[in-house]
Amino acid sequence: MKITVEFPAFDAGARTIGQLFGDGTFSFAVGQARGVACGLGPVDASANITDIRFGFLIVGDRYRIIVNGQPGAVYQSYTALSRFIITRSNGILRAYVNSTLIETDPVEEHRFLFGDCSLFAFGDAIEDAEIEASVANEVITANIGLGPISASGTQGVVAVGFAGIGPFN
């Protein structure tokens, strides 16, 4: 994916093809993160973070929790080898960094959720993203690995792109 931007903004995005119909997990790591937003959401209408129901906004070596498309006020630090994890279990969404629980939020009416990510700047990267059901047959297309996804750009005309990632079989 290559994006050319005149002004930095959330202008590139990707989502998983696989969806969670019940309990499950979406996890990922980041490479460069001048502005990476990733989490679970029921829609993918744009590359903006407003589509993310519950997830992380990662900027540099800090992150905030996103709830209903809005980032929280408090930044927390993470290390370069951290894994960001969002789970849905028994109607509760939980956000973890590695094995540390950061925040919880009840799920509303959304029956299905998928992994949704938005990228802000040249070189921002999501690495090793996976969505998986914690109960058999809850993910339509089984485990999905996204691999590196990045946005790159230079000063110039805006060309926005989206990527839908499916299984590699």
Side-chain angles (χ1 to χ4, degrees):
M1 174 185 320
K2 183 171 182 171
I3 308 297
T4 305
V5 296
E6 183 171 354
F7 302 104
F10 283 103
D11 57 9
R15 64 156 275 198
T16 60
I17 300 298
Q19 302 169 347
L20 297 175
F21 281 93
D23 295 348
T25 302
F26 177 57
S27 64
F28 62 95
V30 294
Q32 173 182 301
R34 286 184 51 205
V36 171
C38 237
L40 292 173
V43 298
D44 186 27
S46 71
N48 207 307
I49 68 172
T50 55
D51 293 340
I52 297 173
R53 166 65 184 86
F54 190 71
F56 294 92
L57 172 61
I58 304 159
V59 178
D61 62 353
R62 302 177 307 151
Y63 67 87
R64 298 191 272 180
I65 299 297
I66 298 170
V67 177
N68 292 323
Q70 299 299 314
V74 178
Y75 272 108
Q76 299 184 55
S77 296
Y78 74 97
T79 62
L81 299 176
S82 293
R83 187 123 187 107
F84 297 90
I85 304 162
I86 300 115
T87 65
R88 175 166 71 174
S89 178
N90 297 320
I92 302 292
L93 293 167
R94 292 176 178 86
Y96 298 85
V97 175
N98 299 316
S99 60
T100 303
L101 178 63
I102 306 301
E103 189 158 336
T104 62
D105 196 56
V107 178
E108 298 143 7
E109 71 284 350
H110 304 297
R111 174 156 164 70
F112 71 90
L113 296 170
F114 50 80
D116 188 16
C117 300
S118 299
L119 304 171
F120 184 81
F122 172 83
D124 281 351
I126 303 152
E127 300 175 347
D128 303 321
E130 294 181 342
I131 190 166
E132 57 188 337
S134 56
V135 177
N137 301 320
E138 285 188 333
V139 175
I140 292 175
T141 57
N143 293 343
I144 296 170
L146 291 176
I149 295 177
S150 63
S152 61
T154 58
Q155 297 293 334
V157 179
V158 175
V160 177
F162 295 90
I165 309 301
F168 298 107
N169 50 359

